[in-house]
Amino acid sequence: MVRFPLCLSLLFSATLVLAQSTPNAKSAATKPTPRSVKPQAALPNLNSPIPLDPDVKVGKLPNGLTYYIRKNAEPKNRAELRLVIRAGSVLENDNQQGLAHFMEHMEFNGTKNFPKNELVNFLQSAGVRFGADLNAYTGFDETVYQLPVPTDSARVFSQAFQILEDWAHNATIDPTEVDKERGVILEERRLGRGAGQRMRDNYFPVLLNNSQYARRLPIGTEQVLTTFKPEVLRQFYKDWYRPDLMAVIAVGDFDMKQVEGIIREKFGRIPAVKMPKPRTEYDIPAHKDTKVVIVTDPEQPNTVVQVIYKRPEIKEKTLNDLRESIKRGLFNTMLGNRIQELTQRADPPFLGGYSNYSDFLGNLDAFTSIAVAKEGNVERAIRAVLDENARVKQFGFTPTELARAKQEFMTNVEQAYSERDKTRSVNYVNEYVQNFTDKEPYTSIDFYYAFLKKEQDGIKLAEVNALVDQFIHNDNRAVIVMAPEKDKAKLPTVEQIISYVDDAGKGLTAYEDKTLDSPLLATQPTASPVVNEKQIKDIGVTEWTLKNGVRVVVKPTNFKNDQILFSASSFGGTSLYDLNDFQSARFSSTLTAMGGTGAYNQIQLGKFLSGKQVSVFPYVGELSEGINGSAAPKDLETALQLLYSYFTQPRKDPDVVKGFLSNQRSALQNRINTPTPQGVFQDTVTVTLGNNNPRRQPLKPDDLDKIDLDRALKIYQERFANAGDFTFYFVGNVKEDQLKPLAEKYLGGLPATGKPEKFTDLGIRAPKGQISKTVYKGVDPKASVQLIYTGDVTWSPETATQLDALAEVLEIKLIEKLREEESGVYGVGASAAYAKYPVPRYTFRINFGCAPENVDKLVAKTQELINDLKQKGALPADIAKFKAETRRETEVQLKDNQFWLGYLQNQYYNGDAPDEVLHESEQLDKVTVDSTKAAANQYFGPNLIRLVLMPEKKQ
């Protein structure tokens, strides 16, 4: 797998629409947390180095290999292992382009102790999934191998370290396997082709100033990948897979001394390299001018403008550096909030945008401003974002903004501190990878929390305001414009773009921080008591029925200290409304939530909730409506007030809705003007599976004209008018005696009509029989294939297990045949979905990407595997893998709040037994060779839809 730094991944994203998540800021992120609390000594002065977490055992072997070991029992009986090589694609010579990544693949195709595919086979048998669990990635500067393993099997745990050692110096690099893997890598490269790749190839050399990074994309060149000799790959392995560039990381539920002994034994025998090749640290050279690149592509749907102010990387070494990182975090938060507010206008200036200081690449950080232009208006979009940057430069932030940002920051760190004994091992591992590859310090949450409490109050507004002068400068600046080919003639010139950037900030006024100081609820609800209580002791669940008919399902857990998850659902949804009301109904919850609630508009509500761990989101689906949310225990009452308010005080904000629909209309028009191959194909899949029903058509701009805000609000009110028809679910660190009076007040106080509702069966079913459709779209030589079996199903736990088993055993075989033997695909998936409502149905989907000329051959191979399952059933070894993977997955899920919330909601929604999960072993025991044979004959039936995306035919 190829990985780019997050900031560059965003640059590569050529189809940025509407919402844009913010990249990981080069700022004080919430720190992963230590196992135990240690008394805090007085904090040293700010020139002191950042103290490393004492719970991590770090050592170095005589051969130069570094190791990190930490005991952590979350999850129980599991460990996260990593082998980190401080070598990636940037170290390749011209004849090795793509071989760092190729080498990563070869580690799974034969080592001294695990020939050919035995490594994957062994781990699957132990319950470790290939791809989902076992994986690796190659970046510019590092290659990282990921191995999560159980620790309650001494044999598996010991063999896991043997695998790491084999990766380190025992890869066989068999020429036959190399030739087979060429096809797989070329298929991975094929998947990456498209508008984003073509534009990147144009702007990357400019953005990265013709540095080594610009010439060494990890995927490599087709010419090298198809022609290199195995000895060239062996040379890369010999040069860079060596102990002084390696780290072994082990975090998990194990004995630290035992693990240290294993590491010393297995990795200590790797010989040190006598005359190691110098590991060059490549820089991206600075430039005095502003580099502008304008790139267009026939498959690029949006116009995206990016202004990147590059500057030397900030290395955090001292406590003062740590304090500075907090300031950057506060800056990013406040500026991000301001830019987000621009989308709340009646006519937003862009479809999406942000400004943010973060890591960049190599020796650089960057302050990046991005805007997705509305209707191709580059000037308006980028000026809007840059004006916000300039507003900070001219007037600064306000004291109330800083106070909220500090509160929010402290709340996040407090939450991490409170979860210090419940932090998952995978969170720790990533910190130690960063320490080894980038020398990023890792400190304990104990220290960080104490440091924040001591230092944050002393951070003055003037200090944070001053950062903008460090971030924004005229040198080492790049502007990238990506646009549809059809708009090429309308785009501004290079000189115009530079003038937009340089002239930003004229005629601005200071930001006005508008807040509201008012209770969420104008009048308090009238409580109604619990009238019935039922215990389901074997799963630790309590059911309450309130006097107004509300049902509450509570599962207290100790899986997280600071987390309560909740949801609610009721039958009904958009199915109850005819086609004339469909668009108003489907957007009803979205448009209503945009209004805020009660006296608060959406912006004011966000400010009111700042510093609180609360989220509440109403939704209206096709067959049901409901609420999803979460809260820290201390904020549970606020969350329930907000929930009550969304039920009883929906708020209309016509300006915000007008702006949202305007942006949606523009984005949808972009899709029509420049239809992307994947977009057209996905629309075809949806329409075909929906049997061309009007409710399964792609959304079009004129559909938005059918939305009436008053009607949408009325539909929303109807959907949430009868709380007595709802079931509410609470999972997490919640005490029943504390929740009960809150539930009686805020849920018991909700309106109820006493009339339960059902959904309407709209009769939407996948078409019967054999259907084949081919979509010709796109210029790249690549194809996508979906084979979809559908039909009616008998609803039962056994059915679900047999379908899951069928999907897993088929996927195992598809990977073996299509990827390993045929070298025809990079990835292939087989999955089963099933639903009880509106009627019990299943959908079995097989999907892969490949070369257009291989479609028929690979579909035929897939059908051969299906026919084999129908005739013989699955191999016992593959069934054993499915059972091992399922049992291992369930062990972890049973200690996870998110799992329990989803599980309980599904069980009650479907009217199934709440304790079904406890009988999983009984269902797994029923999966046999004969049962998989019967399932294959039943579910690979006569209803088959074959959908293929092919490149456009050349005229």
Side-chain angles (χ1 to χ4, degrees):
M1 180 169 66
V2 168
R3 175 175 288 188
F4 294 105
L6 186 52
C7 56
L8 293 181
S9 319
L10 290 170
L11 290 175
F12 299 166
S13 174
T15 54
L16 203 61
V17 186
L18 295 185
Q20 172 59 61
S21 60
T22 303
N24 285 337
K26 183 94 177 188
S27 59
T30 299
K31 301 287 179 184
T33 55
R35 269 182 317 111
S36 56
V37 188
K38 297 183 176 57
Q40 283 303 317
L43 290 164
N45 70 59
L46 292 177
N47 292 322
S48 304
I50 298 170
L52 297 180
D53 188 339
D55 282 347
V56 186
K57 168 77 175 175
V58 182
K60 186 169 276 197
L61 301 180
N63 59 13
L65 183 139
T66 305
Y67 60 84
Y68 302 75
I69 307 171
R70 180 187 194 118
K71 181 172 176 61
N72 185 59
E74 197 62 44
K76 188 175 171 59
N77 296 328
R78 294 292 187 281
E80 290 284 345
L81 308 182
R82 299 291 184 271
L83 175 69
V84 186
I85 316 295
R86 210 169 64 80
S89 61
V90 80
L91 297 178
E92 297 163 347
N93 62 37
D94 288 345
N95 298 324
Q96 295 174 329
Q97 291 180 69
L99 297 199
H101 174 237
F102 206 109
M103 190 60 235
E104 172 219 307
H105 276 237
M106 290 307 299
E107 296 280 26
F108 297 89
N109 287 321
T111 65
K112 176 182 172 184
N113 293 287
F114 297 91
K116 298 198 173 178
N117 290 318
E118 276 308 302
L119 187 151
V120 173
N121 193 40
F122 167 73
L123 288 169
Q124 284 178 326
S125 301
V128 179
R129 293 180 192 268
F130 181 46
D133 301 324
L134 170 68
N135 214 325
Y137 69 84
T138 304
F140 287 103
D141 286 297
E142 76 286 330
T143 307
V144 180
Y145 296 88
Q146 304 165 184
L147 181 52
V149 290
T151 59
D152 53 358
S153 164
R155 183 181 75 91
V156 171
F157 191 49
S158 173
Q159 285 290 75
F161 284 96
Q162 186 59 62
I163 289 168
L164 292 188
E165 188 204 339
D166 271 22
W167 283 338
H169 73 132
N170 283 331
T172 48
I173 313 180
D174 180 292
T176 304
E177 294 296 323
V178 168
D179 284 338
K180 281 167 65 178
E181 198 64 22
R182 289 183 204 269
V184 175
I185 300 263
L186 289 169
E187 287 308 315
E188 183 176 0
R189 191 172 189 277
R190 186 191 306 279
L191 288 175
R193 294 180 67 162
Q197 162 261 318
R198 288 189 292 272
M199 292 187 296
R200 180 192 67 211
D201 289 350
N202 282 316
Y203 70 69
F204 228 45
V206 179
L207 175 64
L208 301 181
N209 204 12
N210 294 307
S211 64
Q212 179 79 345
Y213 288 96
R215 298 187 292 270
R216 290 294 181 267
L217 288 179
I219 197 63
T221 68
E222 190 166 344
Q223 193 269 331
V224 169
L225 293 172
T226 51
T227 62
F228 78 87
K229 300 284 193 292
E231 51 266 28
V232 180
L233 183 61
R234 283 197 196 95
Q235 188 61 50
F236 184 89
Y237 187 59
K238 181 182 175 186
D239 286 343
W240 304 119
Y241 278 61
R242 60 186 207 229
D244 60 304
L245 296 178
M246 283 181 186
V248 173
I249 301 172
V251 180
D253 190 8
F254 49 59
D255 180 276
M256 286 178 66
K257 284 190 176 177
Q258 179 196 10
V259 167
E260 185 175 23
I262 294 172
I263 290 172
R264 287 188 166 277
E265 175 208 345
K266 291 194 178 297
F267 295 90
R269 58 197 181 201
I270 302 174
V273 177
K274 293 236 169 73
M275 297 185 62
K277 191 171 183 174
R279 201 287 187 201
T280 305
E281 302 289 340
Y282 288 98
D283 286 344
I284 299 170
H287 50 90
K288 293 292 184 187
D289 58 336
T290 297
K291 297 190 179 297
V292 179
V293 191
I294 302 170
V295 288
T296 60
D297 192 271
E299 294 175 2
Q300 165 68 1
N302 312 303
T303 300
V304 184
V305 192
Q306 309 170 68
V307 184
I308 301 148
Y309 304 87
K310 296 173 281 185
R311 55 162 290 157
E313 180 185 19
I314 297 172
K315 287 284 189 188
E316 291 171 19
K317 297 178 181 177
T318 68
L319 293 182
N320 191 60
D321 297 333
L322 200 57
R323 187 177 184 276
E324 289 294 311
S325 77
I326 295 169
K327 285 160 55 176
R328 291 191 296 275
L330 297 171
F331 183 98
N332 279 341
T333 296
M334 292 187 287
L335 183 56
N337 288 340
R338 283 191 182 185
I339 293 174
Q340 181 59 32
E341 283 186 24
L342 298 179
T343 63
Q344 305 293 306
R345 295 179 177 174
D347 183 21
F350 45 57
L351 296 184
Y354 72 82
S355 287
N356 186 274
Y357 187 89
S358 63
D359 300 339
F360 189 66
L361 184 64
N363 59 318
L364 298 179
D365 288 346
F367 181 75
T368 304
S369 293
I370 294 186
V372 184
K374 189 173 177 180
E375 288 149 12
N377 193 331
V378 172
E379 180 179 5
R380 186 176 181 224
I382 199 60
R383 277 194 191 277
V385 175
L386 296 183
D387 276 354
E388 290 310 312
N389 300 347
R391 199 184 310 275
V392 175
K393 204 174 179 83
Q394 293 174 28
F395 303 103
F397 295 108
T398 66
T400 48
E401 286 179 289
L402 181 61
R404 277 198 310 276
K406 284 182 175 180
Q407 188 180 24
E408 196 174 315
F409 203 92
M410 180 62 76
T411 300
N412 288 336
V413 175
E414 280 175 345
Q415 184 176 42
Y417 178 74
S418 71
E419 300 289 9
R420 61 196 175 280
D421 61 335
K422 301 290 170 67
T423 300
R424 298 224 157 183
S425 296
V426 70
N427 293 0
Y428 288 122
V429 159
N430 295 332
E431 285 232 322
Y432 312 145
V433 170
Q434 289 287 307
N435 177 257
F436 182 68
T437 58
D438 300 327
K439 299 185 173 62
E440 290 279 342
Y442 55 90
T443 191
S444 73
I445 192 65
D446 305 70
F447 178 85
Y448 189 73
Y449 182 42
F451 181 79
L452 188 67
K453 284 195 291 186
K454 176 177 181 289
E455 292 295 331
Q456 184 173 258
D457 282 350
I459 293 175
K460 305 301 182 194
L461 185 59
E463 292 181 74
V464 182
N465 287 339
L467 290 176
V468 72
D469 292 323
Q470 296 178 29
F471 297 165
I472 297 177
H473 42 81
N474 293 339
D475 64 324
N476 211 10
R477 185 171 66 174
V479 183
I480 296 164
V481 178
M482 300 186 290
E485 180 78 32
K486 66 175 180 54
D487 291 347
K488 194 169 190 175
K490 304 181 205 168
L491 293 172
T493 64
V494 169
E495 291 74 20
Q496 285 174 311
I497 288 170
I498 292 176
S499 75
Y500 300 160
V501 177
D502 287 342
D503 296 345
K506 292 184 177 172
L508 299 179
T509 56
Y511 172 80
E512 188 180 349
D513 190 15
K514 296 177 183 174
T515 59
L516 183 65
D517 184 15
S518 177
L520 264 180
L521 304 180
T523 56
Q524 292 298 306
T526 303
S528 65
V530 170
V531 295
N532 188 43
E533 182 169 317
K534 176 184 171 186
Q535 304 283 337
I536 308 175
K537 291 186 177 174
D538 55 355
I539 56 169
V541 163
T542 301
E543 279 183 35
W544 297 324
T545 304
L546 305 184
K547 190 176 180 181
N548 62 347
V550 164
R551 180 165 59 173
V552 183
V553 177
V554 188
K555 179 172 174 60
T557 72
N558 59 3
F559 309 147
K560 289 281 184 186
N561 299 322
D562 211 31
Q563 183 185 70
I564 299 171
L565 305 178
F566 57 87
S567 66
S569 65
S570 165
F571 285 128
T574 62
S575 70
L576 300 181
Y577 299 89
D578 64 25
L579 211 50
N580 291 333
D581 277 335
F582 174 53
Q583 300 302 342
S584 294
R586 81 189 296 193
F587 279 95
S588 59
S589 57
T590 303
L591 302 185
T592 304
M594 283 183 164
T597 184
Y600 285 83
N601 67 29
Q602 195 177 29
I603 293 172
Q604 292 165 341
L605 183 62
K607 292 175 179 178
F608 170 78
L609 294 174
S610 180
K612 299 179 178 70
Q613 295 285 349
V614 170
S615 71
V616 181
F617 298 103
Y619 69 87
V620 176
E622 186 163 88
L623 303 179
S624 66
E625 54 275 338
I627 296 270
N628 290 312
S630 65
K634 68 180 176 58
D635 296 319
L636 180 59
E637 183 163 11
T638 302
L640 289 173
Q641 288 174 349
L642 186 56
L643 182 154
Y644 180 88
S645 188
Y646 275 129
F647 263 83
T648 61
Q649 302 184 127
R651 186 179 182 280
K652 185 170 70 170
D653 194 327
D655 282 350
V656 173
V657 168
K658 182 180 177 184
F660 168 74
L661 293 178
S662 163
N663 274 6
Q664 287 280 347
R665 197 173 281 108
S666 179
L668 291 170
Q669 192 59 52
N670 288 344
R671 284 191 57 178
I672 291 170
N673 294 343
T674 309
T676 63
Q678 208 55 47
V680 173
F681 184 55
Q682 194 51 54
D683 286 347
T684 304
V685 172
T686 304
V687 170
T688 304
L689 284 173
N691 210 1
N692 209 28
N693 187 282
R695 298 183 190 231
R696 293 294 185 271
Q697 300 303 310
L699 194 63
K700 299 182 291 298
D702 58 1
D703 289 328
L704 303 181
D705 299 333
K706 300 171 187 172
I707 295 172
D708 179 282
L709 177 55
D710 289 325
R711 181 63 182 140
L713 183 63
K714 183 78 169 74
I715 289 170
Y716 175 90
Q717 290 170 322
E718 290 171 1
R719 293 299 83 235
F720 290 90
N722 180 20
D725 203 20
F726 279 75
T727 301
F728 291 80
Y729 308 87
F730 292 85
V731 175
N733 188 14
V734 56
K735 294 180 170 56
E736 289 182 29
D737 59 343
Q738 292 174 7
L739 177 63
K740 189 183 245 183
L742 295 175
E744 289 177 328
K745 179 177 181 179
Y746 296 109
L747 306 184
L750 289 169
T753 65
K755 295 178 183 175
E757 283 184 312
K758 192 73 175 163
F759 53 80
T760 296
D761 181 0
L762 299 168
I764 303 173
R765 312 280 190 271
K768 292 183 177 180
Q770 304 250 338
I771 292 171
S772 181
K773 289 186 182 179
T774 301
V775 175
Y776 294 95
K777 193 71 187 167
V779 297
D780 291 296
K782 63 181 188 180
S784 291
V785 177
Q786 290 203 22
L787 304 175
I788 306 166
Y789 290 90
T790 64
D792 297 325
V793 74
T794 302
W795 189 258
S796 72
E798 185 174 352
T799 296
T801 304
Q802 294 294 341
L803 273 163
D804 290 343
L806 188 62
E808 181 62 21
V809 296
L810 179 59
E811 184 169 284
I812 289 169
K813 280 289 167 274
L814 286 167
I815 291 170
E816 289 175 8
K817 175 66 73 174
L818 272 56
R819 175 175 163 136
E820 304 303 336
E821 289 182 28
E822 296 292 330
S823 303
V825 301
Y826 170 62
V828 55
S831 60
Y834 31 86
K836 187 174 183 180
Y837 301 120
V839 294
R841 299 272 298 172
Y842 76 92
T843 303
F844 198 105
R845 195 181 301 249
I846 300 158
N847 59 282
F848 55 85
C850 66
E853 62 271 20
N854 287 339
V855 166
D856 289 339
K857 178 180 79 170
L858 295 176
V859 168
K861 296 286 182 189
T862 301
Q863 292 297 345
E864 285 175 18
L865 293 173
I866 288 171
N867 290 334
D868 204 47
L869 281 171
K870 285 180 169 183
Q871 291 166 20
K872 303 175 189 170
L875 292 176
D878 291 342
I879 293 171
K881 289 175 185 176
F882 162 71
K883 291 180 178 180
E885 289 170 358
T886 303
R887 287 191 173 109
R888 287 299 186 186
E889 186 176 40
T890 301
E891 285 172 5
V892 175
Q893 286 178 334
L894 289 176
K895 299 289 185 183
D896 183 78
N897 289 333
Q898 195 69 57
F899 165 77
W900 276 105
L901 182 72
Y903 168 77
L904 288 170
Q905 183 163 336
N906 280 336
Q907 296 304 106
Y908 279 86
Y909 180 83
N910 291 323
D912 294 337
D915 63 352
E916 192 180 287
V917 69
L918 302 182
H919 305 286
E920 182 182 80
S921 283
E922 296 164 29
Q923 299 303 335
L924 289 176
D925 288 344
K926 296 177 186 174
V927 179
T928 62
V929 174
D930 285 342
S931 82
T932 55
K933 177 180 175 180
N937 282 284
Q938 182 172 354
Y939 300 120
F940 296 131
N943 302 328
L944 170 61
I945 301 171
R946 168 182 157 146
L947 299 165
V948 180
L949 172 64
M950 296 284 272
E952 293 161 25
K953 293 179 176 176
K954 292 191 170 61
Q955 300 299 319

